[in-house]
Amino acid sequence: MKLSGGLAQGLSLAVLGVGLARAEIRDMEFLLEPTEDSIHFTDGYLRGPGYIDLSALVFTAVSENFTPVDVGTNDDSPLNDDDNDDNSNAPDDTGADGGNRRDLSARGLDGGVEEGLTTVDMAVIGLPQKCANSRSGCDWTEQGIGGRLPDGNLRWCCSTEAVAAGLCESHNSGKLIINSTSFTGAYKFVNVPPHGPMSKHLRFGQINEANSGQFVVVFANCNEGGRQIVARGKTVWKSVHGYLPGELYGFMNFYAILTGMYLILLLWYGYLMHVNEESRIAIEKWILMTTVLGLLEMFFRTGDYFVWNVDGYRMNLAMYIGIILGVVKRGLSRALIIMVALGWGVVRDSLGSALRTIIVLTAAYVGVSVSRDLMLVFAIEDMETLSYDAEVELFDVVTILTFVVAAVDVIFILWILDALNNTMEYLQSMNQSRKLMRYLRLRCIFLFSILFATIWVVFSLVDTYDENGIIREEHEWSVDAATEINYFYVLAGGAFLWRPNPSAKEYAYVMELSATGEGNDGEDTHELELTGVVPSALDDDDDEEPSGKSNGYHDNDHDDRFRIDDSEAA
């Protein structure tokens, strides 16, 4: 990414922060213009001990205009074609420091570069945790990169103006400003001859880092009288656990655990459905389907991160399948909760026109969510190839889609709460205490989930917009993890309340007697009522009551009108 001296550094770092979650064997190709006004940089998070390796980057001098293309991961990349040709007879420049990260006395900025040569400077700095987690980001001048003029303007390169302001020495003109007093990172450079073909790479390009944190690699071609340089190849960021970005390592373990939890829930629910095959009701299939989608989503996400960690590249197919399955799962679960709240399978066998509204609302949620998530992935994965204006426009669209998704969620929540209240009022008026108890428990689960989500959203907003943040960057994964746990809690609670049982189908649309056997005038009515009530799994304890009692009618009540006299029988 290119950073201009006239661009607010904090805004640039805020935009770049989204790009941390990228492949940690990074294919790169960019043009280093000979200019004092801008530098290029890339960054990432390492869990120490780890390293950053720049050895696979090839620097080639060009004289014509250059249009960056996607290097890709194929074997026919420019790095593999040219590495042994143009570079075979060229010296490998590691810089005068020979890999020494601390001693800058011979870095070439003090007159150690041959006359007529220019340099491509590279510096690796670690950002302090306090500013790395802040909204404004870190001031790189405090880490020894660049400097500020008396008027506050930022300068990256040692220009005439920077020399006059005392930011650097005159013999370092045309090079990256590095303050040897405050700079504690690693420095490398490549010498560029004034003419002729040039293709070089760093022989000792690996920089070891013992500590965890966010690191930045800066590339600069500061001499305006120099040549255009193309940098193409790969940069390797490897943490102690592997190639997975350090801030995402917790996700890999979390997804693996959640995959096991979904598997246990699926096996338990599937076993109950198999044992009670003859008494299945429709809602059980929906719960099972939602659980399967959750399991598949977690499986693909775990596989995506595991392969990424081992190979250094994302398995795009698994990534996109996981995203789509996750959105479909969330949309289906919202539709399922609405259907249950409306009493489907409990007080009615058909949803009528409400079903069309549910389908439209669910389709809108899935469509907008998929668009938002895929656009966000595109913005992150292709940040290197997007212009700043394109990035801003893309993130603006993502923000709008996020608000649309939130609005649809609010509609779902309000509708669910209203439907639950109406269904419970109906059950209460029909004296269906067991079904009412089940819905009371379902509402309790749902309200607790809403409360938790609300608290967590507030916490996330504070963490995001607080100047220093609350959660360390390596633990940021816990924000999304809490959302997944909340979802699993609601799904598992619903599955428990609607767990398959032998008597579920037997009670569907049964003839129920009124709760009292007498009318208002004292006569014994025993009228029959037709209801559409399907009992819950809680109805399994019917055998706890005397077998002669059912729905207000007592088989052991002795009514003389139905007694046969023994003498008449004889």
Side-chain angles (χ1 to χ4, degrees):
M1 177 170 289
K2 188 174 182 179
L3 183 61
S4 173
L7 185 63
Q9 185 180 10
L11 179 60
S12 301
L13 293 177
V15 174
L16 178 68
V18 186
L20 292 176
R22 299 181 299 129
E24 296 302 87
I25 296 182
R26 306 178 183 177
D27 295 308
M28 303 185 70
E29 185 171 2
F30 56 93
L31 176 65
L32 288 167
E33 293 278 4
T35 177
E36 300 174 346
D37 297 330
S38 64
I39 60 175
H40 289 255
F41 70 97
T42 182
D43 73 344
Y45 191 93
L46 291 178
R47 293 180 69 244
Y51 65 82
I52 302 170
D53 194 353
L54 307 177
S55 302
L57 275 180
V58 176
F59 298 89
T60 305
V62 294
S63 56
E64 65 278 357
N65 292 331
F66 170 75
T67 302
V69 295
D70 186 10
V71 176
T73 59
N74 298 326
D75 293 335
D76 58 351
S77 67
L79 174 62
N80 294 324
D81 286 344
D82 301 334
D83 190 28
N84 296 324
D85 295 336
D86 297 339
N87 199 41
S88 57
N89 297 323
D92 294 327
D93 282 289
T94 64
D97 63 344
N100 188 326
R101 299 181 54 208
R102 309 303 175 190
D103 184 10
L104 300 178
S105 60
R107 59 184 285 261
L109 298 184
D110 299 323
V113 181
E114 298 179 15
E115 184 177 358
L117 294 179
T118 59
T119 61
V120 172
D121 299 296
M122 289 159 279
V124 179
I125 56 174
L127 303 181
Q129 177 186 334
K130 183 176 181 180
C131 65
N133 292 338
S134 65
R135 292 186 62 192
S136 58
C138 295
D139 184 353
W140 292 358
T141 61
E142 296 179 0
Q143 314 308 315
I145 299 294
R148 294 190 180 277
L149 299 175
D151 59 5
N153 288 329
L154 188 62
R155 290 293 178 266
W156 301 113
C157 297
C158 188
S159 61
T160 303
E161 188 179 17
V163 172
L167 299 179
C168 57
E169 301 294 334
S170 59
H171 58 265
N172 288 329
S173 296
K175 300 177 179 64
L176 181 67
I177 297 176
I178 295 183
N179 187 331
S180 58
T181 302
S182 57
F183 182 77
T184 58
Y187 173 78
K188 304 286 182 180
F189 69 85
V190 171
N191 287 328
V192 180
H195 51 76
M198 191 277 289
S199 182
K200 298 181 180 181
H201 66 87
L202 294 172
R203 180 182 298 171
F204 304 107
Q206 179 172 313
I207 298 104
N208 297 319
E209 299 292 348
N211 301 319
S212 300
Q214 184 177 346
F215 295 88
V216 178
V217 181
V218 177
F219 302 89
N221 186 14
C222 289
N223 195 321
E224 293 193 339
R227 306 170 65 182
Q228 289 182 328
I229 303 296
V230 176
R232 59 164 61 93
K234 307 175 188 295
T235 60
V236 179
W237 301 63
K238 189 172 184 179
S239 297
V240 63
H241 59 265
Y243 293 105
L244 187 68
E247 73 276 16
L248 298 182
Y249 176 69
F251 260 130
M252 183 176 67
N253 296 329
F254 171 75
Y255 284 150
I257 294 174
L258 202 56
T259 300
M261 295 170 62
Y262 271 105
L263 181 61
I264 293 173
L265 179 62
L266 178 64
L267 293 176
W268 170 74
Y269 203 82
Y271 171 76
L272 290 181
M273 289 186 65
H274 175 72
V275 171
N276 302 283
E277 184 176 2
E278 297 182 355
S279 60
R280 289 180 184 172
I281 56 178
I283 194 173
E284 296 172 2
K285 298 178 182 179
W286 284 79
I287 295 176
L288 184 69
M289 185 187 307
T290 306
T291 306
V292 170
L293 286 175
L295 175 62
L296 290 176
E297 179 201 5
M298 292 300 109
F299 174 78
F300 279 102
R301 288 188 181 274
T302 304
D304 173 29
Y305 280 18
F306 179 80
V307 173
W308 190 358
N309 187 55
V310 174
D311 295 341
Y313 292 100
R314 297 204 73 168
M315 190 166 55
N316 289 333
L317 179 62
M319 176 184 66
Y320 287 117
I321 291 178
I323 291 174
I324 294 173
L325 285 176
V327 173
V328 174
K329 176 198 72 175
R330 295 193 296 271
L332 182 62
S333 62
R334 283 158 172 77
L336 178 60
I337 296 177
I338 279 286
M339 295 164 68
V340 171
L342 289 171
W344 179 65
V346 177
V347 299
R348 63 177 75 185
D349 65 337
S350 174
L351 295 174
S353 61
L355 181 60
R356 290 192 296 270
T357 306
I358 294 174
I359 293 175
V360 171
L361 200 60
T362 303
Y365 176 86
V366 171
V368 176
S369 295
V370 167
S371 301
R372 179 198 61 180
D373 292 351
L374 293 182
M375 290 180 68
L376 187 59
V377 170
F378 174 77
I380 294 174
E381 296 296 325
D382 296 311
M383 182 172 287
E384 294 290 344
T385 62
L386 295 175
S387 65
Y388 176 77
D389 292 337
E391 291 175 18
V392 172
E393 292 177 1
L394 196 57
F395 280 109
D396 286 343
V397 174
V398 170
T399 302
I400 293 173
L401 294 180
T402 300
F403 279 111
V404 174
V405 172
V408 176
D409 266 335
V410 170
I411 295 175
F412 268 118
I413 292 173
L414 295 179
W415 193 5
I416 290 171
L417 292 176
D418 182 67
L420 281 174
N421 290 334
N422 292 337
T423 302
M424 288 189 295
E425 288 178 2
Y426 174 82
L427 292 173
Q428 187 174 15
S429 66
M430 295 296 295
N431 293 324
Q432 299 297 302
S433 59
R434 294 175 188 166
K435 285 78 176 178
L436 179 61
M437 180 61 67
R438 177 173 62 173
Y439 269 82
L440 286 172
R441 292 175 177 176
L442 178 63
R443 186 176 67 172
C444 181
I445 291 174
F446 189 67
L447 289 176
F448 181 81
S449 174
I450 294 176
L451 177 63
F452 177 83
T454 302
I455 295 175
W456 199 250
V457 166
V458 173
F459 176 81
S460 301
L461 290 175
V462 173
D463 177 60
T464 301
Y465 292 103
D466 182 71
E467 178 61 28
N468 297 319
I470 300 176
I471 303 177
R472 292 185 58 180
E473 191 166 10
E474 61 183 300
H475 300 142
E476 287 287 346
W477 62 270
S478 61
V479 175
D480 292 333
T483 303
E484 292 290 344
I485 288 294
N486 191 28
Y487 174 86
F488 183 83
Y489 159 75
V490 175
L491 177 62
F496 178 79
L497 292 177
W498 268 268
R499 63 188 184 274
N501 66 92
S503 60
K505 196 171 183 179
E506 296 175 3
Y507 283 83
Y509 297 99
V510 297
M511 300 288 289
E512 285 195 0
L513 296 176
S514 60
T516 60
E518 296 183 355
N520 295 332
D521 56 357
E523 295 181 358
D524 192 355
T525 58
H526 290 289
E527 294 179 355
L528 298 178
E529 292 185 7
L530 181 62
T531 64
V533 179
V534 179
S536 69
L538 300 177
D539 293 331
D540 289 343
D541 56 0
D542 285 345
D543 56 353
E544 296 177 2
E545 298 183 5
S547 59
K549 281 187 178 181
S550 176
N551 301 319
Y553 181 78
H554 305 278
D555 291 336
N556 59 349
D557 287 346
H558 299 288
D559 193 333
D560 291 340
R561 292 176 296 174
F562 296 96
R563 179 176 297 175
I564 300 177
D565 187 35
D566 292 340
S567 60
E568 292 179 7

